[in-house]
Amino acid sequence: QRRVHGESREKDKGHIAMGIDIKAGGRKIASNNRTSPKSENPYIRLLVKLYRFLSRRTESGFNAVVLKRLFMSRVNRAPMSVSRLVSYTKGKENKIAVIVGTITDDARVQEMPKLTVCALRVTEGARARILKAGGEILTFDQLALRAPTGANTVLLRGPKNAREAVSHFGKAPGTPGSSAKPYVRAKGRKFEKARGKRSSRGFRV
């Protein structure tokens, strides 16, 4: 009700109530989590169909995690080198190492153990190293037949923040408490060295 000169005036019966004022950007209704992959790759799409079925029909959290990772962008499906793979599977060589991403080669690894791995993609060098050591490389549809609930597997993922771009994120370089890497044209005497201590480097105190 609205008060005019101390008196309450009832709304007209034919009056239409005004809508609520939505702030700029609109009302947030849905979450931003992906429910399908952006990729048009038919093989990824088929794997999504398979793991959507498995996560629905089994009580396994493994299948739900694999499905979620299949939706992810390539930046979030970071590659993993064979050196990390060897490190993370130490003492678990009898289990299947599962990576929803790429396995890459690492020339620094001298001794390669016999491993069974499952990945979306394995580079040529890494494939040769794994097979030469007597290991086995599975695709995700083969894994679904061998371990439909993810039993006897080790689910791994690569270092997402190892990209060079991530080192520039955060507070502005040079500000207190910042460890962000500055964008510099070149690394040399004349570029962002001794700022504040030399006239030719911005200013001198």
Side-chain angles (χ1 to χ4, degrees):
Q1 291 181 348
R2 191 173 152 200
R3 293 185 175 273
V4 180
H5 301 301
E7 294 177 8
S8 63
R9 191 171 70 187
E10 290 185 3
K11 292 179 182 176
D12 294 337
K13 288 185 179 178
H15 179 71
I16 299 166
M18 294 288 284
I20 60 166
D21 186 20
I22 296 174
K23 288 183 181 177
R27 184 189 292 156
K28 187 174 169 65
I29 295 167
S31 75
N32 289 328
N33 296 334
R34 285 188 180 184
T35 53
S36 63
K38 285 274 178 82
S39 171
E40 295 296 325
N41 186 327
Y43 299 107
I44 297 274
R45 295 265 172 186
L46 284 169
L47 285 179
V48 165
K49 273 191 171 185
L50 172 62
Y51 276 89
R52 209 188 284 278
F53 171 81
L54 286 172
S55 67
R56 188 176 74 245
R57 295 296 295 269
T58 62
E59 296 293 318
S60 167
F62 171 85
N63 291 322
V65 172
V66 169
L67 178 66
K68 185 182 170 187
R69 290 186 188 178
L70 285 169
F71 296 160
M72 288 181 179
S73 61
R74 277 181 64 183
V75 164
N76 290 316
R77 285 191 280 110
M80 179 179 278
S81 65
V82 289
S83 55
R84 274 183 192 267
L85 184 63
V86 170
S87 172
Y88 291 159
T89 53
K90 201 168 187 179
K92 302 171 187 172
E93 287 85 357
N94 59 332
K95 296 191 174 188
I96 303 168
V98 181
I99 297 105
V100 185
T102 305
I103 297 174
T104 56
D105 193 15
D106 192 340
R108 296 169 297 180
V109 175
Q110 300 298 317
E111 290 183 21
M112 189 76 191
K114 183 181 175 182
L115 295 171
T116 304
V117 299
C118 173
L120 283 179
R121 179 172 164 265
V122 183
T123 62
E124 195 177 344
R127 184 179 293 276
R129 297 283 295 277
I130 292 164
L131 295 176
K132 190 179 178 183
E136 190 182 3
I137 299 166
L138 303 174
T139 56
F140 274 93
D141 52 326
Q142 290 171 328
L143 178 71
L145 291 170
R146 195 177 292 194
T149 59
N152 205 36
T153 60
V154 183
L155 189 57
L156 305 170
R157 57 176 161 182
K160 189 166 78 82
N161 292 334
R163 292 190 307 138
E164 202 278 334
V166 178
S167 62
H168 297 284
F169 298 167
K171 287 180 73 179
T175 56
S178 168
S179 59
K181 184 179 178 182
Y183 290 103
V184 186
R185 276 185 298 155
K187 190 166 184 175
R189 175 183 56 80
K190 297 189 290 184
F191 305 98
E192 298 197 18
K193 301 279 176 159
R195 179 171 157 78
K197 293 288 184 183
R198 227 184 293 159
S199 303
S200 58
R201 298 285 139 325
F203 63 96
R204 185 176 180 215
V205 178

